[in-house]
Amino acid sequence: MTRQFSTLVIIAGLLAVPALSQASSIWHDTGSGDAVQFTPEHWNSTKTRAEVMADVRAASADGTLGILRVGGFSAPAKSSAKPLTRQQVIEDMGAESTRAREARQMQYLN
């Protein structure tokens, strides 16, 4: 009887561990098995926004900002070009070729 109860407790514990570890994660399984959901309110940061910005400025100054890139995206660079108006963007999109439009749409899908 004790052995059967011990086995049951061990199995229950092993099944509970993944659920407990996921509760503190910012990514959660949606239940469908093939998708996850981002839950930013589960993020507990110890740094203030000012501290993070100071770290980014320091990394930018000493050239290590490239190492801090996440997911292949770097911090946006300042552009010297004059920003386009909404109408100019609409006109540019209307004038683009079919091949360029399909390539742009594929960037959003991938």
Side-chain angles (χ1 to χ4, degrees), residues 22-30 36-44:
Q22 186 181 17
S24 63
S25 173
I26 59 173
W27 296 99
H28 297 284
D29 185 9
T30 60
V36 292
Q37 175 183 352
F38 178 64
T39 313
E41 58 269 13
H42 290 180
W43 175 257
N44 295 323

PDB file of all heavy atoms in Angstrom, residues 22-30 36-44:
ATOM      1  N   GLN A  22       6.220  26.688 -15.748  1.00  0.00           N
ATOM      2  CA  GLN A  22       5.680  27.550 -16.788  1.00  0.00           C
ATOM      3  C   GLN A  22       4.976  28.766 -16.196  1.00  0.00           C
ATOM      4  O   GLN A  22       4.895  29.806 -16.822  1.00  0.00           O
ATOM      5  CB  GLN A  22       4.704  26.770 -17.661  1.00  0.00           C
ATOM      6  CG  GLN A  22       4.219  27.566 -18.840  1.00  0.00           C
ATOM      7  CD  GLN A  22       3.236  26.790 -19.676  1.00  0.00           C
ATOM      8  OE1 GLN A  22       2.680  25.807 -19.235  1.00  0.00           O
ATOM      9  NE2 GLN A  22       3.018  27.251 -20.875  1.00  0.00           N
ATOM     10  N   ALA A  23       4.461  28.666 -14.991  1.00  0.00           N
ATOM     11  CA  ALA A  23       3.711  29.758 -14.397  1.00  0.00           C
ATOM     12  C   ALA A  23       4.564  31.009 -14.233  1.00  0.00           C
ATOM     13  O   ALA A  23       4.048  32.113 -14.258  1.00  0.00           O
ATOM     14  CB  ALA A  23       3.139  29.330 -13.056  1.00  0.00           C
ATOM     15  N   SER A  24       5.875  30.858 -14.089  1.00  0.00           N
ATOM     16  CA  SER A  24       6.734  32.026 -13.915  1.00  0.00           C
ATOM     17  C   SER A  24       7.326  32.499 -15.235  1.00  0.00           C
ATOM     18  O   SER A  24       8.071  33.468 -15.268  1.00  0.00           O
ATOM     19  CB  SER A  24       7.853  31.710 -12.928  1.00  0.00           C
ATOM     20  OG  SER A  24       8.658  30.684 -13.463  1.00  0.00           O
ATOM     21  N   SER A  25       7.007  31.831 -16.322  1.00  0.00           N
ATOM     22  CA  SER A  25       7.539  32.188 -17.628  1.00  0.00           C
ATOM     23  C   SER A  25       6.668  33.245 -18.293  1.00  0.00           C
ATOM     24  O   SER A  25       5.484  33.358 -18.000  1.00  0.00           O
ATOM     25  CB  SER A  25       7.583  30.935 -18.509  1.00  0.00           C
ATOM     26  OG  SER A  25       7.929  31.275 -19.823  1.00  0.00           O
ATOM     27  N   ILE A  26       7.254  34.009 -19.213  1.00  0.00           N
ATOM     28  CA  ILE A  26       6.455  34.994 -19.949  1.00  0.00           C
ATOM     29  C   ILE A  26       5.812  34.358 -21.171  1.00  0.00           C
ATOM     30  O   ILE A  26       4.981  34.954 -21.821  1.00  0.00           O
ATOM     31  CB  ILE A  26       7.292  36.220 -20.360  1.00  0.00           C
ATOM     32  CG1 ILE A  26       8.474  35.824 -21.226  1.00  0.00           C
ATOM     33  CG2 ILE A  26       7.733  36.991 -19.140  1.00  0.00           C
ATOM     34  CD1 ILE A  26       9.238  37.005 -21.787  1.00  0.00           C
ATOM     35  N   TRP A  27       6.187  33.121 -21.496  1.00  0.00           N
ATOM     36  CA  TRP A  27       5.604  32.384 -22.622  1.00  0.00           C
ATOM     37  C   TRP A  27       4.774  31.234 -22.070  1.00  0.00           C
ATOM     38  O   TRP A  27       5.232  30.473 -21.228  1.00  0.00           O
ATOM     39  CB  TRP A  27       6.698  31.832 -23.531  1.00  0.00           C
ATOM     40  CG  TRP A  27       7.490  32.918 -24.177  1.00  0.00           C
ATOM     41  CD1 TRP A  27       8.708  33.392 -23.774  1.00  0.00           C
ATOM     42  CD2 TRP A  27       7.121  33.690 -25.313  1.00  0.00           C
ATOM     43  NE1 TRP A  27       9.118  34.401 -24.589  1.00  0.00           N
ATOM     44  CE2 TRP A  27       8.172  34.610 -25.555  1.00  0.00           C
ATOM     45  CE3 TRP A  27       6.027  33.710 -26.154  1.00  0.00           C
ATOM     46  CZ2 TRP A  27       8.136  35.522 -26.587  1.00  0.00           C
ATOM     47  CZ3 TRP A  27       5.999  34.613 -27.195  1.00  0.00           C
ATOM     48  CH2 TRP A  27       7.045  35.507 -27.404  1.00  0.00           C
ATOM     49  N   HIS A  28       3.528  31.109 -22.559  1.00  0.00           N
ATOM     50  CA  HIS A  28       2.628  30.057 -22.104  1.00  0.00           C
ATOM     51  C   HIS A  28       2.058  29.300 -23.293  1.00  0.00           C
ATOM     52  O   HIS A  28       1.727  29.893 -24.320  1.00  0.00           O
ATOM     53  CB  HIS A  28       1.472  30.644 -21.296  1.00  0.00           C
ATOM     54  CG  HIS A  28       1.902  31.316 -20.036  1.00  0.00           C
ATOM     55  ND1 HIS A  28       2.280  30.626 -18.914  1.00  0.00           N
ATOM     56  CD2 HIS A  28       2.036  32.622 -19.729  1.00  0.00           C
ATOM     57  CE1 HIS A  28       2.601  31.484 -17.963  1.00  0.00           C
ATOM     58  NE2 HIS A  28       2.481  32.704 -18.445  1.00  0.00           N
ATOM     59  N   ASP A  29       1.880  28.008 -23.116  1.00  0.00           N
ATOM     60  CA  ASP A  29       1.243  27.176 -24.130  1.00  0.00           C
ATOM     61  C   ASP A  29      -0.230  27.562 -24.213  1.00  0.00           C
ATOM     62  O   ASP A  29      -0.894  27.741 -23.187  1.00  0.00           O
ATOM     63  CB  ASP A  29       1.393  25.707 -23.751  1.00  0.00           C
ATOM     64  CG  ASP A  29       0.870  24.767 -24.818  1.00  0.00           C
ATOM     65  OD1 ASP A  29       0.546  25.233 -25.920  1.00  0.00           O
ATOM     66  OD2 ASP A  29       0.798  23.560 -24.534  1.00  0.00           O
ATOM     67  N   THR A  30      -0.763  27.684 -25.422  1.00  0.00           N
ATOM     68  CA  THR A  30      -2.166  28.067 -25.596  1.00  0.00           C
ATOM     69  C   THR A  30      -3.110  26.881 -25.458  1.00  0.00           C
ATOM     70  O   THR A  30      -4.319  27.053 -25.470  1.00  0.00           O
ATOM     71  CB  THR A  30      -2.396  28.705 -26.979  1.00  0.00           C
ATOM     72  OG1 THR A  30      -2.040  27.762 -27.983  1.00  0.00           O
ATOM     73  CG2 THR A  30      -1.613  29.984 -27.129  1.00  0.00           C
ATOM     74  N   VAL A  36       2.193  29.393 -28.752  1.00  0.00           N
ATOM     75  CA  VAL A  36       2.448  29.938 -27.423  1.00  0.00           C
ATOM     76  C   VAL A  36       1.917  31.358 -27.354  1.00  0.00           C
ATOM     77  O   VAL A  36       1.738  32.020 -28.369  1.00  0.00           O
ATOM     78  CB  VAL A  36       3.953  29.928 -27.065  1.00  0.00           C
ATOM     79  CG1 VAL A  36       4.456  28.524 -26.897  1.00  0.00           C
ATOM     80  CG2 VAL A  36       4.756  30.671 -28.088  1.00  0.00           C
ATOM     81  N   GLN A  37       1.677  31.806 -26.157  1.00  0.00           N
ATOM     82  CA  GLN A  37       1.142  33.147 -25.930  1.00  0.00           C
ATOM     83  C   GLN A  37       2.132  33.927 -25.080  1.00  0.00           C
ATOM     84  O   GLN A  37       2.658  33.424 -24.099  1.00  0.00           O
ATOM     85  CB  GLN A  37      -0.198  33.029 -25.210  1.00  0.00           C
ATOM     86  CG  GLN A  37      -0.805  34.346 -24.809  1.00  0.00           C
ATOM     87  CD  GLN A  37      -2.102  34.136 -24.041  1.00  0.00           C
ATOM     88  OE1 GLN A  37      -2.605  33.029 -23.931  1.00  0.00           O
ATOM     89  NE2 GLN A  37      -2.638  35.192 -23.500  1.00  0.00           N
ATOM     90  N   PHE A  38       2.377  35.173 -25.472  1.00  0.00           N
ATOM     91  CA  PHE A  38       3.278  36.055 -24.725  1.00  0.00           C
ATOM     92  C   PHE A  38       2.479  36.745 -23.636  1.00  0.00           C
ATOM     93  O   PHE A  38       1.443  37.349 -23.891  1.00  0.00           O
ATOM     94  CB  PHE A  38       3.897  37.078 -25.674  1.00  0.00           C
ATOM     95  CG  PHE A  38       4.797  38.065 -24.992  1.00  0.00           C
ATOM     96  CD1 PHE A  38       5.959  37.649 -24.378  1.00  0.00           C
ATOM     97  CD2 PHE A  38       4.471  39.398 -24.951  1.00  0.00           C
ATOM     98  CE1 PHE A  38       6.796  38.556 -23.755  1.00  0.00           C
ATOM     99  CE2 PHE A  38       5.300  40.314 -24.332  1.00  0.00           C
ATOM    100  CZ  PHE A  38       6.467  39.886 -23.728  1.00  0.00           C
ATOM    101  N   THR A  39       2.946  36.660 -22.392  1.00  0.00           N
ATOM    102  CA  THR A  39       2.259  37.266 -21.254  1.00  0.00           C
ATOM    103  C   THR A  39       3.224  38.217 -20.563  1.00  0.00           C
ATOM    104  O   THR A  39       3.933  37.834 -19.631  1.00  0.00           O
ATOM    105  CB  THR A  39       1.787  36.166 -20.279  1.00  0.00           C
ATOM    106  OG1 THR A  39       1.146  35.143 -21.021  1.00  0.00           O
ATOM    107  CG2 THR A  39       0.819  36.725 -19.262  1.00  0.00           C
ATOM    108  N   PRO A  40       3.284  39.487 -21.022  1.00  0.00           N
ATOM    109  CA  PRO A  40       4.288  40.410 -20.471  1.00  0.00           C
ATOM    110  C   PRO A  40       4.083  40.745 -18.997  1.00  0.00           C
ATOM    111  O   PRO A  40       5.036  41.116 -18.324  1.00  0.00           O
ATOM    112  CB  PRO A  40       4.138  41.653 -21.347  1.00  0.00           C
ATOM    113  CG  PRO A  40       2.781  41.561 -21.933  1.00  0.00           C
ATOM    114  CD  PRO A  40       2.466  40.109 -22.047  1.00  0.00           C
ATOM    115  N   GLU A  41       2.865  40.593 -18.474  1.00  0.00           N
ATOM    116  CA  GLU A  41       2.658  40.932 -17.062  1.00  0.00           C
ATOM    117  C   GLU A  41       3.342  39.941 -16.117  1.00  0.00           C
ATOM    118  O   GLU A  41       3.449  40.201 -14.926  1.00  0.00           O
ATOM    119  CB  GLU A  41       1.164  41.037 -16.730  1.00  0.00           C
ATOM    120  CG  GLU A  41       0.355  39.809 -17.011  1.00  0.00           C
ATOM    121  CD  GLU A  41      -0.241  39.780 -18.404  1.00  0.00           C
ATOM    122  OE1 GLU A  41       0.149  40.574 -19.269  1.00  0.00           O
ATOM    123  OE2 GLU A  41      -1.096  38.939 -18.630  1.00  0.00           O
ATOM    124  N   HIS A  42       3.845  38.818 -16.635  1.00  0.00           N
ATOM    125  CA  HIS A  42       4.582  37.872 -15.813  1.00  0.00           C
ATOM    126  C   HIS A  42       6.068  38.192 -15.754  1.00  0.00           C
ATOM    127  O   HIS A  42       6.831  37.455 -15.153  1.00  0.00           O
ATOM    128  CB  HIS A  42       4.391  36.444 -16.333  1.00  0.00           C
ATOM    129  CG  HIS A  42       3.005  35.935 -16.118  1.00  0.00           C
ATOM    130  ND1 HIS A  42       2.618  34.694 -16.500  1.00  0.00           N
ATOM    131  CD2 HIS A  42       1.907  36.503 -15.560  1.00  0.00           C
ATOM    132  CE1 HIS A  42       1.355  34.512 -16.186  1.00  0.00           C
ATOM    133  NE2 HIS A  42       0.901  35.606 -15.619  1.00  0.00           N
ATOM    134  N   TRP A  43       6.491  39.251 -16.393  1.00  0.00           N
ATOM    135  CA  TRP A  43       7.894  39.659 -16.384  1.00  0.00           C
ATOM    136  C   TRP A  43       8.169  40.492 -15.146  1.00  0.00           C
ATOM    137  O   TRP A  43       7.484  41.464 -14.861  1.00  0.00           O
ATOM    138  CB  TRP A  43       8.201  40.469 -17.634  1.00  0.00           C
ATOM    139  CG  TRP A  43       9.575  41.029 -17.643  1.00  0.00           C
ATOM    140  CD1 TRP A  43       9.927  42.316 -17.377  1.00  0.00           C
ATOM    141  CD2 TRP A  43      10.784  40.339 -17.925  1.00  0.00           C
ATOM    142  NE1 TRP A  43      11.277  42.465 -17.479  1.00  0.00           N
ATOM    143  CE2 TRP A  43      11.832  41.263 -17.814  1.00  0.00           C
ATOM    144  CE3 TRP A  43      11.077  39.039 -18.252  1.00  0.00           C
ATOM    145  CZ2 TRP A  43      13.151  40.916 -18.027  1.00  0.00           C
ATOM    146  CZ3 TRP A  43      12.394  38.693 -18.463  1.00  0.00           C
ATOM    147  CH2 TRP A  43      13.401  39.630 -18.349  1.00  0.00           C
ATOM    148  N   ASN A  44       9.157  40.101 -14.392  1.00  0.00           N
ATOM    149  CA  ASN A  44       9.551  40.840 -13.196  1.00  0.00           C
ATOM    150  C   ASN A  44      10.949  41.386 -13.404  1.00  0.00           C
ATOM    151  O   ASN A  44      11.921  40.664 -13.291  1.00  0.00           O
ATOM    152  CB  ASN A  44       9.529  39.929 -11.962  1.00  0.00           C
ATOM    153  CG  ASN A  44       8.142  39.445 -11.644  1.00  0.00           C
ATOM    154  OD1 ASN A  44       7.186  40.187 -11.806  1.00  0.00           O
ATOM    155  ND2 ASN A  44       8.017  38.208 -11.205  1.00  0.00           N
TER     156      ASN A  44
END
